[in-house]
Amino acid sequence: MKSYIKTQLQRLRIYLIFDVHKRTNYIVKKNIFYSVGDNFIFQPRKIPSDPKLIKFGSNVIVASNVTFINHDVFHKVLENMDNKFHAYYARAIEIGNNVFIGANSTILPNVHIGNNVFIGAGSVVTKDVPDNTVVGGNPAKVISPLDKYLEKRTILEGEVPNTYDIEDVWRRFNYEKYGK
């Protein structure tokens, strides 16, 4: 009971740390996940129910509201249906190096996300993601090789500095959408 209370208090503490860098530092310091590489950023304020079943490589950014699901409780439904014992399903999730996981994505159990991967916002990752790819959708599918995406972003990078001007962003939007 004592460890359960400690875990719940730790979850509450993480939820109440509003600054993403302070929250990430706390997560790393307290060894919340199985392992975490260098240059890790964790924006979600909710910790998965089984964080010790998740490994993160180096240079990984997890955007807001990403959900990691390591298990299900479907065995309870089955047991109530047929009064037989059914195994609890719990699996690991492994994230490689140089990975971005977009906001509101869901990563399901028993998934390996390779190195150099970009996962688009709102994706549902149901199976392994190969290295050097951009994936998105529900279920997530390969959209393009990462190098093609980087080409596109590199061209835009020279036009839009890391710090942006609101008016410049709106000018670009209007030009791209309406040609003016």
Side-chain angles (χ1 to χ4, degrees):
M1 182 66 164
K2 194 174 186 177
S3 73
Y4 174 78
I5 293 171
K6 180 182 174 189
T7 300
Q8 296 311 313
L9 288 173
Q10 208 170 43
R11 287 176 186 280
L12 180 60
R13 169 102 168 97
I14 290 166
Y15 186 83
L16 293 173
I17 301 172
F18 295 106
D19 180 89
V20 67
H21 299 292
K22 289 179 182 175
R23 183 169 48 255
T24 300
N25 289 339
Y26 180 85
I27 288 168
V28 171
K29 179 181 171 188
K30 296 293 185 178
N31 295 313
I32 300 297
F33 294 105
Y34 185 80
S35 67
V36 172
D38 296 329
N39 301 317
F40 172 68
I41 297 175
F42 192 81
Q43 289 185 326
R45 293 178 55 209
K46 293 181 190 172
I47 295 299
S49 59
D50 294 313
K52 290 295 186 188
L53 296 178
I54 305 171
K55 275 180 159 179
F56 293 98
S58 294
N59 197 30
V60 172
I61 297 177
V62 181
S64 300
N65 299 320
V66 171
T67 304
F68 295 90
I69 300 173
N70 296 93
H71 69 280
D72 65 27
V73 290
F74 187 60
H75 67 286
K76 291 291 186 191
V77 173
L78 296 173
E79 288 169 4
N80 289 332
M81 285 174 47
D82 62 13
N83 292 321
K84 295 178 185 172
F85 176 76
H86 294 275
Y88 177 76
Y89 181 82
R91 298 292 185 271
I93 295 172
E94 183 178 35
I95 314 310
N97 298 317
N98 307 313
V99 174
F100 173 80
I101 304 174
N104 298 311
S105 292
T106 300
I107 314 299
L108 293 181
N110 204 32
V111 165
H112 168 83
I113 296 172
N115 297 319
N116 310 314
V117 170
F118 179 96
I119 298 173
S123 298
V124 178
V125 181
T126 61
K127 53 188 166 185
D128 293 353
V129 177
D131 292 350
N132 304 307
T133 55
V134 176
V135 300
N138 180 4
K141 294 182 176 152
V142 174
I143 295 170
S144 79
L146 185 63
D147 60 344
K148 295 283 185 205
Y149 180 75
L150 292 176
E151 258 179 50
K152 182 178 175 184
R153 287 297 295 260
T154 302
I155 292 168
L156 296 175
E157 186 178 314
E159 299 170 9
V160 179
N162 284 339
T163 58
Y164 63 88
D165 175 68
I166 292 170
E167 294 305 318
D168 285 341
V169 172
W170 279 109
R171 273 192 288 280
R172 174 181 296 281
F173 178 83
N174 287 324
Y175 178 77
E176 290 174 354
K177 297 295 178 192
Y178 310 113
K180 52 181 173 173

